[in-house]
Amino acid sequence: MKKEIRFSGYGGQGIILMGNIAAKAAVLYDDKNAVYTPSYGPEARGGAASSNVIIADEEIDYPYVTDIDVLVAMSQLGYEHNAPLLKDNGVLIIDKDLVKLKNGVGKVAKIDATRIAEQLGKRIVANIVMLGFFTAVTKILSYDAIKKAVLESVPAKFKELNEIALEKGYKEGKK
Amino acid sequence: MKKIRFWSGDIAAAEGAIAAGCRFFAGYPITPASDIAEHMALRLPQENGIFIQMEDELASMAAILGASWGGAKVMTATSGPGFSLMQENIGLGAITETPCVVADVQRAGPSTGMPTLVGQGDVMQSRWGSHGDYETIVISPSSPQESFDLIIRAFNLAELYRVPVIFLMDECVAHMSERVVVPPKEKIEVVERLKPSMPPEQYMPFKPLNNIAPMAIAGMGYKIHVTGLTHNEKGYPQTTSTEVQEWMIRHICDKIRKNERKIRDIEEYEMDDAEIAVVSFGIAGRSAKAAVKIARKHGIKAGLIRLKTIWPFPEEYFENAADNIKKFIVAEINYGQVKLEVERSIHGKASVELLPKFGGAVHTPMEIYNKIKEAKNGN
């Protein structure tokens, strides 16, 4: 098993953190190999942001994502820019309020992650809602692993909120 | 018990340094090395160590040399522009035989170049950056795991040979996060510098015993004189004696050159029957390994020589390897540096081709595989 995953959106959505948490979950709690590579640059806030994760049972030599198995798009630009790199049997996951699909090829899973986060009172946890959804849809990570990794990565006073956000997203993905 | 961590290369290097006994860090922040300093600022006080953010890189290098003579295991971390500024005092470290570790997290240069993107253009600088004749040891990790493991070795070699060791990382290895297995403390080999035990009146701070002179530290009761001038065994300046100059240069170079085999650390992959060898290091070494795997799937006898130590350059190793290799492909993120050394070492026994990347990006496995395929087809 080897999965190349790209999380994309715009700066401020916590896109970088999503990749970091997903890879951390794989390594620390699902006993898999994973590598996380951030993209740094002037686009850090406001512009395009992406983070890349490879999760595999085998040794990972080349650490960069080239042919995407799972594309998580939380912005129109992220979708348009990265969709051409999605494999034929790849999975596209979108925030349906933020991404308008151009053509309906391939598997698409949709969630209104940002709206759910707003209903929870904090728009900022949209990325965690999305991580829960991603976990349920792709089954690459166990729920237990992603939960532990999320709780370890967020400030103590927001643990409860993030746990609820994760669970919401996960349940949406199970539907 | 061993622990599993999820660390970036920078964090792993900082933790490895602490595991090796580093308790003094002086530095000046610069991308992509800043995470090392940031982590050291957090962690060293917890370990009763000292972290100082200096006014610049010249002072950072000076501070670690002083702290080393104060008895600490020391390091600094920087990137190309800062590494250039450190060269003067790296030379001071070489002539005063001061154990220290300098992490140079390479980004694309020259000058300020591409601050957030990868390069491997400091290979020659890491060896020749300061003036005069001297040797350094240069170690290059390919992963966060190796950033942890090999920086421990960097400290051990610095202590063992009383020499500045350059830990030559690159932006990709520094910023990527991966599994790092941290062995239990008692399983980590840590080398301490040789200290004098003779009566103070007999001690000479630069008189080698079996290759290396014991190093007194401040407060032990020994008299020392440490200078950047040419000095004799006592450490006294001898600025007009050609004999002392020759003795000193031979000593600071030969203590490394004559131990090249012991210092050498190379990963060989599929080299047993290889006819084409890809030579690489750091992040490029990972693409090279992937390329060799592709080549083997296509029945091409290709292998990988990945340098974990770059300097002293393993000339003898390459000369021997060239007996069985038709072509060396050197994949590095620069316009030809290790390639020159491979060429020099093999005395024309095989052909050598450079596969450069100019900075900002890493070779893809297919780029290297295509070069292997060309070599196989005799181009």
Side-chain angles (χ1 to χ4, degrees), chain B residues 130-144:
Chain B
S130 201
H131 56 277
D133 279 310
Y134 68 104
E135 293 273 344
T136 54
I137 295 171
V138 178
I139 297 180
S140 175
S142 276
S143 64

Side-chain angles (χ1 to χ4, degrees), chain B residues 344-364:
Chain B
R344 188 175 66 78
S345 302
I346 65 172
H347 303 293
K349 285 185 187 173
S351 67
V352 183
E353 188 174 352
L354 172 69
L355 179 56
K357 272 272 166 187
F358 291 84
V362 181
H363 305 79
T364 64

Side-chain angles (χ1 to χ4, degrees), chain A residues 32 36 59-62 64, chain B residues 172 177 179 286-287 293:
Chain A
K32 289 191 164 75
Y36 154 73
E59 185 186 5
I60 302 165
D61 296 316
Y62 183 68
Y64 296 99
Chain B
C172 293
S177 296
R179 174 196 310 269
R286 295 175 66 134
S287 296
K293 286 180 182 173

Side-chain angles (χ1 to χ4, degrees), chain A residues 11-84:
Chain A
Q13 282 180 313
I15 300 294
I16 299 289
L17 187 64
M18 287 173 85
N20 192 292
I21 290 174
K24 186 191 278 184
V27 165
L28 295 183
Y29 306 115
D30 270 344
D31 197 28
K32 289 191 164 75
N33 290 316
V35 55
Y36 154 73
T37 50
S39 72
Y40 283 86
E43 73 275 22
R45 267 179 200 83
S50 73
S51 65
N52 302 289
V53 176
I54 301 176
I55 298 174
D57 294 318
E58 64 262 34
E59 185 186 5
I60 302 165
D61 296 316
Y62 183 68
Y64 296 99
V65 167
T66 46
D67 303 306
I68 302 174
D69 293 289
V70 182
L71 172 63
V72 178
M74 294 185 68
S75 74
Q76 188 65 25
L77 195 67
Y79 158 67
E80 286 177 19
H81 189 72
N82 293 298

